[in-house]
Amino acid sequence: MLIQLEQSISEAAKADIIAYIKSIKYKVTEVTTQRAYYLVGIGKTEFDLRPLGQLPGIRDIHRVSDDYKLVSRKWRVRPTVLDLGDGVRIGEGSLSIVAGPCSIESEEQMEKIMQHLVDNDVRLMRGGVFKPRSSPYSFRGLGMDGLKQFHQMARERGIKIVTEVMQVSQVEEMHDYVDVFQVGARNTQNFNLLDALGGVDKPVLIKRGISGTIEELLSSAEYVFSGGNEKLILCERGIRTFETASRNTLDLNAIPILKEKTHLPVMVDPSHGIGIRDYVSPMALAGVMSGADGILYEAHEKPEEAASDGQQTLNFAESARLIRNLRKVYAVRQELE
């Protein structure tokens, strides 16, 4: 079960509620986030919720059978909408577009990409400064110096930054220069990292693991939420299957399933999802029609010269056309809903 407590609850009232829960043989976990106080009760005993729900200090109480309690839509029916400031919001009611290179490479590259985003009214930019690569000899990013420069240039243009954090030690040093922390597919079950991100007051975008299930993605989000951070975004980025015609298999089935199971915003990354430039745009449009709250894709002035993932990166002309079409398709979806 999940209990939301009143903000003004006294310690004595909270102690009475916890004692009651323990008396019915349930384990109690206290969760304090940026927005509320919760008690998560885990147990198997059948009992009547009404006497417990009438105790002073309880704002709301629900039975939630899912293993992921806090991110479940069974208790929070209204979808979560994240406000990043300066008019940038992520969640139902708008379509978020996040574009940029796989890797931040240079000041000149950032200048050109940011101008492309500004010209197309895109306020969110992706770009890795720490890059997990399959080969240790591949370009692995510009690190903190690159991120600081990225941050300064983005602020001057009203752009919000989405970038990947790879380990616990990076969270604190990156914090002031990031608008959205990204947890990549390789780190979706890095539970130490997820615990650390539970302690920050910044949105966290969690990508689905390379061979991860939908349930595992939701459980990863539960780690962050239970650590105190409600500002979460889920991202379908394709999974590894037996198919070899594309880099991954973009599981668009996951979008309506996630939208039913969780109140969190859901995005699609078609660049990693299919890994072939010619097919990124149609899969992005399909992602919008499947119900996604946002699209996250890779763009570069000259993809053939990109330091990483050029084969799945759109050039600026392709990117501009996709942005226009994404907005058209989203308008059609709104008419159909």
Side-chain angles (χ1 to χ4, degrees), residues 37-336:
Y37 302 124
Y38 305 95
L39 296 177
V40 179
I42 306 295
K44 296 182 178 179
T45 306
E46 291 293 330
F47 70 98
D48 188 347
L49 280 179
R50 288 171 294 182
L52 175 57
Q54 292 171 3
L55 292 178
I58 292 181
R59 180 178 177 182
D60 208 359
I61 183 169
H62 295 270
R63 292 189 192 276
V64 182
S65 57
D66 301 323
D67 289 338
Y68 45 91
K69 312 289 184 190
L70 294 159
V71 304
S72 173
R73 200 158 191 164
K74 288 183 178 177
W75 74 275
R76 183 179 284 178
V77 178
R78 278 186 160 186
T80 293
V81 177
L82 303 180
D83 188 346
L84 276 62
D86 301 320
V88 181
R89 295 163 66 85
I90 298 175
E92 284 193 18
S94 62
L95 178 69
S96 298
I97 299 174
V98 188
C102 176
S103 301
I104 296 299
E105 301 164 11
S106 67
E107 181 178 353
E108 180 183 9
Q109 176 223 31
M110 286 189 281
E111 177 73 43
K112 291 178 179 178
I113 291 172
M114 288 184 191
Q115 188 59 52
H116 168 67
L117 298 184
V118 169
D119 289 344
N120 288 277
D121 194 27
V122 172
R123 303 285 304 284
L124 287 154
M125 179 172 167
R126 65 180 293 167
V129 295
F130 297 105
K131 292 303 300 178
R133 305 301 301 277
S134 299
S135 169
Y137 309 114
S138 300
F139 177 70
R140 297 165 73 181
L142 297 179
M144 278 304 301
D145 289 341
L147 178 58
K148 290 177 181 178
Q149 188 177 43
F150 185 10
H151 174 265
Q152 181 180 347
M153 294 175 68
R155 281 293 174 272
E156 292 170 355
R157 295 159 179 81
I159 291 173
K160 303 295 182 180
I161 293 173
V162 180
T163 194
E164 184 168 357
V165 58
M166 292 175 56
Q167 57 194 43
V168 173
S169 63
Q170 294 170 347
V171 174
E172 184 175 354
E173 64 177 349
M174 292 176 67
H175 182 274
D176 293 343
Y177 306 99
V178 172
D179 295 295
V180 179
F181 281 105
Q182 176 183 305
V183 177
R186 292 175 177 85
N187 272 316
T188 301
Q189 291 187 310
N190 181 343
F191 300 118
N192 290 333
L193 178 59
L194 297 176
D195 281 336
L197 291 169
V200 303
D201 189 22
K202 288 281 180 81
V204 177
L205 182 148
I206 305 177
K207 288 195 169 186
R208 186 175 176 181
I210 293 172
S211 299
T213 65
I214 291 171
E215 299 283 316
E216 287 168 339
L217 174 59
L218 290 164
S219 293
S220 295
E222 188 80 3
Y223 261 86
V224 180
F225 200 131
S226 66
N229 187 357
E230 294 194 29
K231 298 178 179 180
L232 290 163
I233 306 157
L234 303 179
C235 183
E236 166 58 41
R237 49 80 69 199
I239 52 176
R240 181 172 292 167
T241 68
F242 55 80
E243 184 54 69
T244 59
S246 57
R247 179 176 180 177
N248 293 298
T249 298
L250 185 58
D251 182 15
L252 292 181
N253 293 343
I255 309 309
I257 293 172
L258 285 168
K259 294 293 292 182
E260 180 183 20
K261 287 180 174 290
T262 180
H263 55 83
L264 301 176
V266 180
M267 287 191 171
V268 170
D269 178 349
S271 297
H272 285 88
I274 195 161
I276 302 170
R277 184 187 307 165
D278 289 347
Y279 307 142
V280 168
S281 292
M283 297 312 296
L285 299 173
V288 173
M289 288 306 295
S290 68
D293 299 302
I295 300 296
L296 182 90
Y297 71 91
E298 292 178 352
H300 193 289
E301 183 189 22
K302 298 178 180 178
E304 61 278 4
E305 297 178 8
S308 54
D309 283 351
Q311 77 284 353
Q312 64 190 35
T313 300
L314 304 186
N315 62 36
F316 287 172
E318 294 166 333
S319 173
R321 184 164 56 250
L322 175 58
I323 292 166
R324 291 194 299 270
N325 288 337
L326 285 170
R327 289 169 176 155
K328 290 177 183 177
V329 168
Y330 180 67
V332 171
R333 191 184 94 188
Q334 287 183 302
E335 291 178 4
L336 295 174

